[in-house]
């Protein structure tokens, strides 16, 4: 994400630094800022537990600072308010932190999996969403919006300078199939070529691509073994718990895999996130998630066989390419000729839309998944 400076003059004592550099997202970062500047003026502190930093908060300049969901001693909270800071206190009783400064990890979302998926933070957040999504409570809708904006901010910070390739495809693709193995090899090839793999973060083709990126630093036998270990639990139905445990078993055998991004949503709560995306940007609003996922794929998107969701993603990607609303069109590679010309004949319409426009040279249809990386390269990705 490009650096941007504040649009208003710095406040009294404020440090004039780039906007994202004014965000403090850990206790270590808090200590570094205080040591370097002797001031918190103008900084934004996100979800950092400051109960052990009362003496600091009593003494440093906090003018124009913003504290988002930071636990702190009541006396310290009163002091920073009177010094000109804006304090948004933590919201009790929520299964998620709306002010979080970092993306989720699989370990965080699946914490407590040993007692069953229904006890995990991921499942509890979905249950909260189900209870509040239609009750018309402006406070609940505000919390969802603040959470999703915080996630977007963290995602932008993570992807600064990254060459991101999206891999889209259906959740129904089962472990143990040739298609799943192909998607995993695609993710591995893209990661080894220096791309950051981004998926919708769910099961099926999405999990396979994230698995491939996770396997990229290892030798080829690691992916073969992982595919074998996952195959006995082909789907997240009927048991999300068993499906997730199989993935964590692979991770325990092969820790510290390669990075990738998953961008799922609680809107489709029946689809759990996969454990191979090392960074998970999970949203409540699916529209925000869909647009954000495709907008960040600056090096192109590969579309594997899928149904309605993947068809939607194809045209969500095609529209800004058609109008060049995000600048130069990015590559789009559709995989499986029969699927995209006969079963779901999306390719003829996409080709028709692209005719005589800049995006015409940025779309391709290939029959084999192995041909997708070369197609990306050819199209400029």
């Amino acid at each position: 994400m490009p650096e941007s400076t504040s649009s208003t003059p710095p406040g009294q004592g404020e440090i004039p630094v780039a906007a994202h550099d004014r965000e403090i997202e850990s206790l270590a970062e808090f200590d570094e800022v205080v040591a370097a500047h002797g001031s918190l003026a103008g900084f934004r502190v996100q979800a950092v537990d400051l109960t052990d930093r009362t003496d600091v908060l009593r003494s440093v300049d906090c003018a124009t600072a913003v504290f988002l969901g930071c636990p702190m001693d009541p006396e310290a909270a009163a002091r920073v308010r009177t010094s000109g800071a804006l304090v948004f206190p933590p919201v009790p009783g929520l299964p998620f932190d709306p002010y979080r400064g970092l993306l989720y990890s699989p370990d965080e979302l699946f914490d407590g999996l040993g007692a069953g998926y229904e006890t995990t933070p991921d499942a509890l957040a979905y249950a909260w969403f189900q209870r509040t999504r239609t009750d018309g409570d402006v406070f609940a809708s505000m919390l969802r919006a603040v959470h999703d904006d915080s996630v977007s901010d963290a995602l932008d910070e993570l992807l600064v300078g990254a060459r991101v390739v999206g891999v889209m495809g259906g959740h129904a693709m089962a472990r143990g199939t040739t298609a799943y193995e192909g998607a995993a090899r695609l993710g591995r090839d893209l990661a080894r070529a220096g791309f950051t793999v981004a998926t919708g973060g769910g099961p099926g083709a999405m999990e396979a691509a994230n698995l491939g990126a996770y396997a990229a630093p290892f030798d080829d036998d690691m992916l073969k073994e992982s595919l074998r270990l996952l195959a006995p639990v082909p789907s997240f139905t009927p048991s999300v718990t068993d499906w997730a445990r199989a993935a964590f078993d692979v991770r325990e055998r092969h820790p510290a895999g390669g990075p990738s991004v998953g961008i799922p949503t609680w809107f489709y709560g029946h689809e759990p996130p996969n454990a191979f995306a090392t960074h998970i940007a999970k949203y409540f609003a699916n529209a925000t998630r869909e647009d954000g996922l495709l907008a960040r794929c600056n090096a192109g998107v590969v579309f594997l066989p899928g149904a309605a969701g993947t068809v939607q993603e194809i045209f969500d990607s095609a529209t800004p390419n058609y109008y060049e609303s995000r600048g130069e069109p990015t590559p789009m590679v559709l995989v499986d000729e029969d699927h995209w010309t006969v079963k779901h004949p999306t390719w003829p319409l996409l080709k028709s839309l692209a005719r005589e426009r800049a995006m015409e040279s940025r779309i391709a249809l290939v029959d084999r998944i192995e041909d997708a990386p070369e197609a990306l390269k050819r199209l400029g990705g």
Side-chain angles (χ1 to χ4, degrees):
M1 182 177 67
E3 292 190 359
S4 59
T5 55
S6 174
S7 59
T8 58
Q12 182 67 33
E14 184 175 336
I15 309 301
V17 293
H20 71 267
D21 288 335
R22 290 187 286 117
E23 296 174 7
I24 298 174
E25 295 154 345
S26 69
L27 196 57
E29 198 173 358
F30 177 89
D31 292 338
E32 288 173 7
V33 167
V34 171
H37 302 293
S39 171
L40 291 169
F43 282 89
R44 284 78 175 95
V45 191
Q46 288 181 257
V48 179
D49 189 342
L50 299 176
T51 53
D52 291 333
R53 295 297 185 272
T54 298
D55 289 343
V56 174
L57 295 171
R58 283 175 180 160
S59 60
V60 299
D61 180 11
C62 295
T64 70
V66 180
F67 295 85
L68 299 166
C70 298
M72 63 180 80
D73 181 86
E75 179 186 344
R79 191 268 167 186
V80 298
R81 284 192 183 98
T82 59
S83 69
L86 189 60
V87 179
F88 292 82
V91 181
L94 290 178
F96 63 94
D97 184 353
Y99 304 115
R100 62 181 303 113
L102 303 172
L103 297 183
Y104 292 99
S105 69
D107 296 288
E108 180 182 0
L109 287 175
F110 285 101
D111 185 41
L113 182 65
Y117 171 71
E118 63 278 1
T119 69
T120 65
D122 186 65
L124 295 174
Y126 175 60
W128 178 89
F129 180 46
Q130 288 292 90
R131 290 194 305 271
T132 63
R133 63 188 294 187
T134 59
D135 64 8
D137 183 357
V138 66
F139 184 56
S141 62
M142 182 199 74
L143 291 173
R144 293 195 295 269
V146 170
H147 169 275
D148 286 1
D149 191 65
S150 298
V151 167
S152 290
D153 181 68
L155 183 58
D156 283 336
E157 291 173 1
L158 175 75
L159 296 178
V160 170
R163 299 163 66 217
V164 183
V165 171
V167 179
M168 310 298 152
H171 68 264
M173 184 183 289
R175 295 167 173 174
T177 63
T178 301
Y180 186 96
E181 179 178 352
R185 292 184 183 279
L186 172 65
R188 187 181 63 181
D189 291 346
L190 292 172
R192 287 178 173 176
F195 295 108
T196 295
V197 173
T199 78
M206 297 170 280
E207 180 190 54
N210 287 128
L211 166 63
Y214 187 89
F218 301 97
D219 62 29
D220 292 354
D221 288 339
M222 178 271 182
L223 182 57
K224 293 178 182 178
E225 180 193 23
S226 299
L227 293 168
R228 177 179 58 80
L229 292 171
L230 293 171
V233 189
S235 174
F236 63 97
T237 59
S239 172
V240 175
T241 302
D242 292 344
W243 174 83
R245 281 175 177 164
F248 278 100
D249 286 345
V250 169
R251 287 178 27 140
E252 288 174 9
R253 284 174 179 258
H254 304 282
S260 68
V261 177
I263 307 181
T265 174
W266 280 295
F267 184 81
Y268 298 127
H270 61 285
E271 291 185 20
N274 75 72
F276 295 111
T278 53
H279 305 281
I280 301 176
K282 191 152 191 178
Y283 289 88
F284 288 107
N286 186 51
T288 304
R289 167 253 189 173
E290 286 279 7
D291 184 66
L293 169 57
L294 294 166
R296 290 171 174 87
C297 295
N298 55 17
V301 185
V302 178
F303 298 92
L304 303 179
T310 311
V311 171
Q312 177 184 341
E313 288 163 344
I314 288 172
F315 291 104
D316 281 346
S317 183
T319 300
N321 280 347
Y322 180 89
Y323 291 110
E324 298 184 58
S325 55
R326 294 180 186 141
E328 186 178 350
T330 52
M332 300 175 63
V333 178
L334 279 62
V335 176
D336 192 327
E337 291 182 7
D338 183 72
H339 187 88
W340 295 121
T341 61
V342 179
K343 186 175 182 179
H344 298 304
T346 304
W347 173 252
L349 178 54
L350 180 63
K351 191 174 181 181
S352 175
L353 281 172
R355 188 172 299 122
E356 297 181 357
R357 302 191 73 89
M359 67 178 288
E360 186 172 19
S361 63
R362 294 300 181 94
I363 63 171
L365 173 66
V366 299
D367 199 38
R368 301 185 318 130
I369 198 168
E370 293 82 3
D371 297 330
E374 179 58 34
L376 270 178
K377 182 179 179 181
R378 185 176 71 252
L379 299 179

